[in-house]
């Protein structure tokens, strides 16, 4: 294992202070959890700020300006506003399901951040089925959407919930197929392994070159999973008022809102991990270390490398978020039948063909395609 | 043979009067079978303000401030028809300069109306950004209106026999600048919208009206012209001085939402060109105050001729509408805006029947959306271009 290992350093530090290593390990445990919630929240908040600023730029406006420098405090203001607003539950709604819906959506998104690595050891749990876990957990979200749409006792909500379910089911399959092709090349489902096999040659070894079709499928399906224009049918404002969110207010609405942006951030990170080399820099950083004749175990170098890696993966993720935001404010919305046609009649066959092609290439060129 | 059929219960959904894309207070009672529309029934009257009845105890000058509230996005046309009806009945002459000013105002108003239509139409099918672009340009039209009339929307500018005031000095130059700028910006919208594949998929072949249907339903304006009828009242009725300008009727044969979009965009271009010509041809040019010119040059001056005035005679508050009845119409941005006027030699009209284009065009909506998807309601309704102010009056 190369690279920084915070857990070991932490435990070593506290055992050095005369604390039992087991106790130190328990002390360590809440920290990554706190970190993952913080990272996901901050990422989502940054995405909302970017959404406002980029949409403003596209529309020749200035956007938020007075709340903090460049309006940076506006996401915090949003959260505070939504927290202190009254939570209204419609008279004939099912109160339990109505509250449970947004909670399920929120948890399913935040749980997926468990397996997102920001560096070789900067990951909460490097489970062997990382990508599979993300896809499995994210399929729980439509249940929450359907639940809230059905329990709101509102026809717009019901239609929105049904659309959300139909859309998620149709686009999860191409998404999974695209991820599967990558997993096939990497000989593993672990997110860390997938990044590590893209490490040898810097930018040239990123999966985007070996999986261009899969990359495009994944981006389209990820946009559809995030329910953003051109695929924001479940909450299409002009048609369904706000879809499944119509009756929500206050904290419950915030859970939906936060989950949708956290989901965008998650998808962006997945794109970075699966196709853009994760935390790897465009040039192989180990070679730089060799050139500068710094030993890999040098702690300062390890901190610098980890910091660079985390920055790079965030940059890649926010590049995708930028693309998604720009798309949202440029293109119109597709119709429900066109959306399903695209999912089932175009992306699914192409995804299957891509999987087949990847398998063939893997057999033919085991060197380049991870045989 | 027994067929096992699973059929979902139909859902009746009430869209409006408060709904993001119902253009004001239109209410649609839509029967849905899943995402498909089985039936659609418009309910009107939420913005009814008795405009026709009010007219019956107001003189024309008193009534003029009300009329801009019919179609509040194409305000000049409502004023034009309000003065045209008694003018034609009483044979009041309109000076050439006044007629040119009217034409420029009408065409600017047409551009403003089509611009806002473009923004809301594209927003209805999901793209929010062009809305801000059209408002940028529409603002300039309203600045021009403000400079000439003192008001941005409810101008009260037209008078029997002319207009209320002459153009201020420099207005024509500003207007010329604006038209040239607007022509470029229309190209910009087209680059952004026309060939966007998602936009094309959403509007092409949606809401098709055949030529016969369009005529039988009494459609007018871009709705009619997009269905292959080359019918523009500016060419048909020869009112004002439109014959002195070089322009073409915009029309298409497809009859779908895309055709209506293309017709309206084409009309904006034509309107810009018409204003540019009118600026060159207006009698008297861009003088600040023709009255002063006239006084200065004495009684024999050429400035005294009717051509150079902005109004033939000041309308008196007691202007009597002669006995008689007739129907007068103009080509408003949304279609044929008409007044059926009955006078009885009184200051008040005996009957003031308004034929609003939006009301007549809206009738066709239920048969267009039947069998389509929910999202198509918005695309079709957007392409019909209604303003509830004039539909309900």
């Amino acid at each position: 294992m190369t690279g920084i290992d915070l857990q070991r350093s932490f435990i070593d530090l506290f055992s050095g202070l005369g604390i039992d290593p087991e106790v130190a390990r328990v002390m360590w445990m809440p920290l990554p959890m706190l970190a993952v919630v913080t990272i996901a929240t901050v990422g989502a908040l940054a995405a909302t700020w970017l959404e406002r600023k980029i949409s403003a730029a596209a529309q020749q406006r200035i956007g938020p300006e007075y709340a903090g420098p460049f309006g940076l405090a506006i996401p915090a203001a949003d959260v505070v506003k939504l927290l202190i607003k009254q939570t209204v539950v419609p008279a004939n709604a099912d109160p339990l399901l109505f509250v449970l819906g947004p909670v399920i959506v929120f948890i399913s998104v935040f749980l997926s951040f468990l397996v997102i690595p920001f560096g070789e050891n900067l990951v909460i749990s490097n489970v062997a089925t990382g990508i599979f876990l993300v896809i499995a957990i994210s399929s729980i979200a439509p249940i929450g959407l359907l639940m809230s749409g059905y329990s709101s006792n509102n026809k717009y909500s019901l239609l929105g919930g049904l659309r959300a379910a139909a859309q998620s089911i149709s686009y999860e399959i191409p998404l999974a197929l695209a991820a599967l092709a990558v997993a096939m090349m990497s000989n593993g489902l672990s997110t860390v392994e997938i990044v590590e096999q893209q490490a040898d040659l810097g930018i040239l070894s990123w999966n985007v070159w070996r999986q261009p079709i899969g990359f495009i499928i994944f981006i389209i399906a990820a946009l559809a999973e995030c329910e953003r224009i051109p695929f924001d049918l479940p909450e299409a404002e002009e048609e369904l008022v706000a879809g499944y969110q119509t009756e929500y207010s206050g904290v419950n609405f915030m859970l939906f809102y936060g989950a949708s942006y956290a989901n965008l951030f998650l998808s962006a990170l997945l794109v970075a991990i699966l196709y853009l080399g994760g935390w790897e820099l465009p040039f192989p950083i180990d070679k730089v270390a060799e050139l500068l004749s710094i030993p890999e175990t040098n702690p300062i170098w390890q901190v610098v490398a980890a910091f660079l890696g985390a920055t790079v993966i965030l940059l890649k993720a926010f590049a995708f978020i930028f693309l998604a935001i720009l798309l949202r404010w440029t293109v119109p919305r597709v119709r429900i039948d066109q959306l399903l046609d695209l999912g089932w009649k175009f992306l699914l066959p192409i995804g299957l063909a891509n999987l087949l092609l990847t398998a063939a290439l893997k057999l033919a060129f085991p060197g380049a395609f991870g045989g | 043979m027994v067929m096992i059929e699973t059929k979902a219960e139909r859902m009746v959904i009430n869209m409006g009067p408060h709904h993001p894309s119902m253009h004001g207070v239109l209410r649609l009672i839509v029967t849905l079978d899943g995402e498909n529309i089985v039936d659609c029934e418009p309910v009107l009257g939420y913005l009814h303000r008795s405009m026709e009845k009010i007219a019956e105890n107001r003189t024309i000058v008193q009534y003029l401030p009300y009329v801009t509230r019919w179609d509040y996005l194409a305000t000049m046309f409502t004023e034009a028809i309000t003065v045209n009806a008694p003018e034609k009945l009483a044979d009041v002459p309109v000076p050439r300069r006044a007629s040119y000013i009217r034409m420029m105002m009408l065409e600017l108003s047409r551009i403003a109306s089509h611009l806002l239509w473009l923004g809301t139409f594209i927003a209805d099918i999901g793209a929010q950004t062009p809305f801000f672009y059209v408002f940028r340009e529409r603002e300039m039209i309203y600045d021009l209106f403000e400079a000439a009339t003192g008001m941005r929307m409810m101008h009260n500018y037209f008078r029997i026999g002319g207009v209320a005031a002459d153009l201020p000095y420099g207005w024509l130059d500003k207007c010329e600048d604006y038209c040239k700028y607007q022509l470029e910006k229309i190209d910009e919208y087209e680059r952004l919208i026309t060939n966007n594949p998602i936009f094309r998929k959403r509007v092409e072949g949606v809401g098709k009206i055949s030529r016969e249907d369009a005529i039988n339903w009494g459609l007018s304006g871009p709705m009619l012209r997009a269905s292959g009828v080359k019918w523009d009242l500016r060419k048909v009725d020869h009112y004002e001085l439109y014959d002195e300008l070089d322009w073409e009727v915009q029309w298409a044969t497809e009859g779908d939402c895309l055709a209506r979009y293309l017709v309206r965009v084409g009309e904006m271009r034509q309107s810009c060109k018409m204003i540019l010509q009118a600026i060159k041809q207006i009698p008297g040019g861009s003088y600040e105050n023709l009255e002063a010119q006239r006084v200065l040059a004495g009684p024999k001056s050429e400035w005294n001729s009717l051509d150079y005035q902005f109004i033939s005679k000041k309308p008196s508050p007691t202007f009597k509408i002669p006995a008689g009845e007739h129907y007068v119409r103009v080509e408003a941005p949304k279609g044929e805006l008409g007044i059926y006027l009955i006078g009885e030699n009184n200051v008040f009209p005996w009957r003031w029947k308004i034929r609003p284009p939006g009301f007549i065009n809206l009738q066709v909506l239920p048969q267009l959306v039947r069998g389509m998807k929910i999202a198509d309601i918005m695309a079709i309704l957007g392409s019909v271009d209604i303003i509830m102010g004039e539909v309900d009056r």
Side-chain angles (χ1 to χ4, degrees), chain B residues 17-18 22-27 43-52 54 68-72 386-393:
Chain B
H18 296 155
M22 280 301 132
H23 292 250
V25 289
L26 175 63
R27 179 178 165 207
V43 182
L44 306 178
Y46 291 96
L47 205 57
H48 180 58
R49 291 154 298 172
S50 303
M51 280 296 181
E52 294 179 359
I54 290 171
T68 38
R69 274 82 174 172
W70 303 347
D71 181 350
Y72 41 80
I386 51 156
I387 293 297
M388 290 316 284
E390 72 167 0
V391 173
D392 291 338
R393 305 183 296 291

Side-chain angles (χ1 to χ4, degrees), chain B residues 113-366:
Chain B
S113 170
H114 281 344
L115 278 178
L116 197 103
W117 165 81
L118 181 67
T120 51
F121 175 57
I122 307 296
D124 277 349
I125 55 178
Q128 302 285 345
T129 300
F131 200 71
F132 289 83
Y133 293 179
V134 301
F135 264 85
R136 180 184 65 197
E137 273 79 66
R138 188 168 165 270
E139 203 62 19
M140 296 181 187
I141 298 182
Y142 280 176
D143 286 348
L144 285 173
F145 282 165
E146 190 181 5
T149 72
M151 289 291 268
R152 288 159 55 81
M153 281 180 88
M154 311 301 176
H155 343 75
N156 193 8
Y157 186 57
F158 281 52
R159 291 289 183 275
I160 291 170
V163 291
D166 207 349
L167 296 174
Y169 182 71
W171 191 90
L172 287 173
D173 298 333
K174 284 248 189 295
C175 190
E176 191 178 351
D177 287 350
Y178 163 73
C179 288
K180 285 176 180 162
Y181 167 81
Q182 180 64 62
L183 280 171
E184 286 170 22
K185 289 297 163 186
I186 295 171
D187 294 338
E188 185 186 315
Y189 310 149
E190 285 236 75
R191 279 201 302 276
L192 184 63
I193 299 164
T194 308
N195 287 323
N196 184 315
I198 300 177
F199 173 74
R200 283 272 178 164
K201 271 196 139 180
R202 283 296 305 278
V203 295
E204 227 166 6
V206 170
K208 247 180 146 68
I209 311 173
S210 70
R211 192 171 191 273
E212 288 70 34
D213 276 349
I215 295 171
N216 290 342
W217 281 96
L219 303 183
S220 53
M223 288 284 281
L224 182 66
R225 286 195 286 277
S227 294
V229 187
K230 206 175 173 184
W231 176 267
D232 191 313
L233 295 176
R234 289 171 288 179
K235 287 273 195 221
V236 175
D237 280 4
H238 308 284
Y239 66 94
E240 300 297 350
L241 296 170
Y242 280 110
D243 288 349
E244 293 185 8
L245 305 176
D246 174 29
W247 62 284
E248 278 160 21
V249 176
Q250 295 298 305
W251 65 306
T253 50
E254 291 82 6
D256 55 3
C257 291
L258 180 67
R260 294 194 271 279
Y261 160 81
L262 291 173
V263 165
R264 288 196 175 96
V265 171
E267 276 186 11
M268 281 198 269
R269 285 217 176 85
Q270 291 295 323
S271 290
C272 282
K273 285 175 189 155
M274 283 153 88
I275 299 168
L276 285 173
Q277 291 172 45
I279 289 169
K280 295 277 179 304
Q281 295 177 16
I282 182 168
S286 61
Y287 284 103
E288 182 173 9
N289 194 342
L290 281 175
E291 301 281 340
Q293 291 276 337
R294 196 172 298 134
V295 173
L296 202 67
K300 293 261 161 53
S301 141
E302 56 157 343
W303 298 111
N304 277 320
S305 94
L306 185 64
D307 275 7
Y308 296 110
Q309 314 212 349
F310 65 88
I311 194 161
S312 56
K313 63 168 186 146
K314 297 276 182 205
S316 99
T318 56
F319 172 84
K320 276 191 180 167
I321 300 168
E325 57 186 87
H326 72 163
Y327 176 70
V328 184
R329 55 191 184 175
V330 293
E331 180 71 34
K334 279 138 193 120
E336 175 181 329
L337 174 63
I339 297 289
Y340 184 70
L341 171 66
I342 304 181
E344 46 166 15
N345 200 26
N346 192 348
V347 290
F348 304 140
W350 191 83
R351 178 77 172 100
W352 184 271
K353 167 80 180 78
I354 306 163
R355 183 224 188 263
F359 180 55
I360 315 281
N361 288 349
L362 185 58
Q363 304 177 82
V364 78
L365 181 74

Side-chain angles (χ1 to χ4, degrees), chain A residues 52-87:
Chain A
R52 284 165 187 266
K53 274 300 196 192
I54 294 170
S55 72
Q59 296 169 349
Q60 308 202 332
R61 296 182 285 118
I62 298 170
E65 196 186 23
Y66 295 110
F70 309 107
L72 273 169
I74 210 84
D78 268 349
V79 170
V80 171
K81 185 202 82 170
L82 288 169
L83 277 177
I84 59 179
K85 265 179 96 168
Q86 190 192 357
T87 312

Side-chain angles (χ1 to χ4, degrees), chain B residues 33-45:
Chain B
D33 179 10
E35 285 268 344
N36 299 318
I37 297 157
V38 180
D39 196 16
C40 163
E41 187 194 339
V43 182
L44 306 178

